[in-house]
Amino acid sequence: RGRAWHTYQLLRAEAWAAHTLRHDEKKCGIRSVITKTETRGPYTRPFTVYFVHTKTAFSVKGTCKRFSDFKELDAKLKKQFKWSKGVFPPDKVFNSMQPDFVSDRRKQLQKYLDDALAVPVIASYSDLHAFLGIPEYIKDLAREQADEVSREQTRLSALSADSDKPETYLRAIEEAKSENDRVAEAQGFNALGLVYCEQGLDSQGIECLESALELCRVEDDSDGIAVTLSNLGCAHNMM
């Protein structure tokens, strides 16, 4: 008692930040597969090479690696990240060229790569990218994210220029649906709901805000959920 009630304030669409996720919050965009093995070297000292094909959103690259190369990578990862979850195959001195052994080791190295790429901070490591033959990956990713942010800012600027007209957000919603972008669709419904509420069309506004909230929950977008819940509370309070 004696304290003022907090005043709710409707949040405008412009306050909802672009929904580009940081790279460390995403699943890794790199997939590496050991496609085959091959025996090389002189007859007296043969060795096995592993063909590693790596696919990203920007390229498909191939490289050949020996077991010693994988071992060197493992030492770097353990030193840099104190990583102990990745199980690296043990050395073998005798019979290391037997087909069954080579096949088993290939599977073990594939599991090792999969485990490493499943850790976001390791998947972003430049030495791992160099090992896989994709040293330009981080630059490509940064450029893509910058382009995505620029497109989102342009879209929001276009919306804000004509922000009081429901038709503006109806078009944005249809565009988001056509691109299967649920977060952008939720942003459109959120903004449309605010416009309706400000025009006194509370029922229609609440319906739009509830649609936005449902889409945010499907996408597990915590920022969007917070915004739409706040706006719904304001809308109900103003009725």
Side-chain angles (χ1 to χ4, degrees):
R1 290 185 180 182
R3 294 183 179 179
W5 290 94
H6 291 291
T7 302
Y8 290 98
Q9 182 178 359
L10 288 175
L11 300 176
R12 302 299 309 180
E14 294 83 351
W16 191 342
H19 62 274
T20 304
L21 292 176
R22 294 194 303 272
H23 178 57
D24 59 1
E25 293 174 338
K26 288 184 175 181
K27 290 184 178 179
C28 174
I30 303 171
R31 175 62 174 139
S32 292
V33 178
I34 303 175
T35 56
K36 65 176 183 178
T37 60
E38 186 177 288
T39 301
R40 292 184 181 178
Y43 177 78
T44 54
R45 298 195 64 182
F47 57 86
T48 301
V49 295
Y50 301 85
F51 289 77
V52 184
H53 281 210
T54 299
K55 182 178 181 181
T56 71
F58 318 106
S59 65
V60 177
K61 299 287 184 70
T63 186
C64 297
K65 297 295 180 182
R66 296 181 61 174
F67 179 74
S68 58
D69 297 322
F70 280 93
K71 190 173 181 179
E72 182 180 345
L73 173 67
D74 180 60
K76 289 181 179 179
L77 295 183
K78 288 178 177 176
K79 180 180 180 180
Q80 183 73 20
F81 303 104
K82 304 296 187 290
W83 187 48
S84 58
K85 292 186 178 180
V87 179
F88 193 77
D91 288 323
K92 186 176 177 67
V93 178
F94 301 105
N95 299 321
S96 61
M97 301 304 297
Q98 293 296 320
D100 288 346
F101 174 79
V102 172
S103 177
D104 288 343
R105 176 171 276 182
R106 172 184 167 185
K107 293 176 184 177
Q108 293 169 346
L109 290 173
Q110 181 65 63
K111 177 65 165 53
Y112 178 82
L113 278 180
D114 291 342
D115 289 345
L117 289 170
V119 181
V121 67
I122 294 178
S124 301
Y125 185 41
S126 60
D127 281 7
L128 176 59
H129 299 161
F131 174 86
L132 297 174
I134 53 169
E136 70 288 346
Y137 177 71
I138 287 295
K139 290 183 179 179
D140 290 340
L141 184 66
R143 183 171 60 251
E144 181 201 38
Q145 291 182 333
D147 290 344
E148 187 176 350
V149 169
S150 178
R151 289 194 298 270
E152 183 67 12
Q153 290 174 339
T154 299
R155 187 181 69 82
L156 290 177
S157 296
L159 288 178
S160 62
D162 203 16
S163 60
D164 291 332
K165 296 182 179 180
E167 293 80 5
T168 301
Y169 299 107
L170 289 169
R171 287 195 301 269
I173 291 168
E174 291 305 314
E175 180 181 342
K177 286 181 179 179
S178 67
E179 296 177 355
N180 198 30
D181 188 340
R182 290 181 176 176
V183 176
E185 185 182 349
Q187 289 177 328
F189 273 117
N190 175 73
L192 182 60
L194 298 184
V195 171
Y196 281 147
C197 288
E198 290 172 356
Q199 293 179 350
L201 303 173
D202 295 328
S203 296
Q204 291 169 265
I206 288 173
E207 184 178 345
C208 290
L209 291 170
E210 288 175 343
S211 296
L213 178 60
E214 182 179 352
L215 287 165
C216 290
R217 283 174 169 164
V218 169
E219 292 300 299
D220 195 25
D221 188 300
S222 58
D223 290 339
I225 290 172
V227 169
T228 50
L229 280 173
S230 176
N231 288 339
L232 274 168
C234 292
H236 282 288
N237 191 53
M238 293 169 62
M239 290 181 66

